[in-house]
Amino acid sequence: MSRCLAVDLGGTKLSAALIEHGIILKKQCVETLSSSDPAVLSAALSDLLVPMSCEADVVSVASTGIINDGILTALNPENLGGLNAYPIESIIASMTGLKTWVINDAQAAAWAEFNRYEAQYPNMAFITVSTGVGAGLVLNGQLQIGARGIFGHAGHMLADPNGPLCGCGRRGCVEALASGRAMGFAGSAYYNQPCTGKEIYSRYLDNQPKAREIVLRSAEVIAQLIANLNITLDLDAVVLGGGVGLAPNYLSLVEEALCCLPLVYRPKLLPALCGTDAGIIGASLWAESNCTLPVTFEIA
Ligand SMILES: [Zn+2]
């Protein structure tokens, strides 16, 4: 494989790039309508990908949700509406005529960070704290996808059985307590006015006590998640990313919370380096690692 058309399909944004040996040659982004109509998504994918596909040898997609055997779903399929069970892999393969790979976006980002850190940490967790909390795991130098594509959804591990209801349908997940969205909800309830996670974070940086309490709670929950992963998986490092994860001082707060725990719970903690390109870079590297295997390319 020489040139990959790498795609990042998010909730509100679709981006695509031509990547050769990890170098981005050309990149385009479009805002997508928040529609759950499969025809709308197919049209947006076709408009963006078909013109770029003539310059590519393979397509690789980092997608929101769970990718189970090339089909888009979610922990809570109701959240996807009409997009549940969208056969993303076969649709893109037939619109481009190219072999297509699809993985979850946090898994792709984990693979990007693993490679960006030059495979120094063969047992690595990537955690992104953003609007939600996503994660991906590399074990023994291999990206873990899982038999149903679920591997690494650590944002839905339990943090507090009496906590808020999570979007997945379970109560008290890490995401329901530590995400930017969760911080916004907690702030809105306290200040009695709608707040975003970003607003709460800037109030924390201004030393407002309630905002500080909310952000510290988030960092504590993430530290406990890291400790749980470390004691289960015997990790070499945890890479923290996302809009909240890389916000000023957040990584230090997580580090401080980890320092209260016994040494065995504390892996090396590192910042994510790939930024907003982590999804497309990880997807292209994933296709590259698959294409080194003796596979037969069967175009749908
Ligand atoms: Zn959940």
Side-chain angles (χ1 to χ4, degrees), residues 75 155-156 166-170 173 175:
L75 290 179
H156 298 279
C166 181
C168 71
R170 186 192 198 193
C173 292
E175 178 166 292

Side-chain angles (χ1 to χ4, degrees), residues 99-163:
K99 171 67 190 170
T100 300
W101 305 94
V102 191
I103 51 173
N104 164 266
D105 50 5
Q107 291 170 347
W111 195 231
E113 297 296 342
F114 168 78
N115 282 282
R116 184 67 193 267
Y117 275 104
E118 298 176 332
Q120 286 177 80
Y121 308 109
N123 300 289
M124 189 204 92
F126 165 73
I127 299 174
T128 171
V129 187
S130 183
T131 312
V133 176
L137 288 159
V138 177
L139 299 175
N140 298 321
Q142 304 289 317
L143 177 66
Q144 303 299 310
I145 305 291
R148 284 153 288 272
I150 297 169
F151 216 110
H153 278 75
H156 298 279
M157 290 177 81
L158 188 68
D160 177 358
N162 301 311

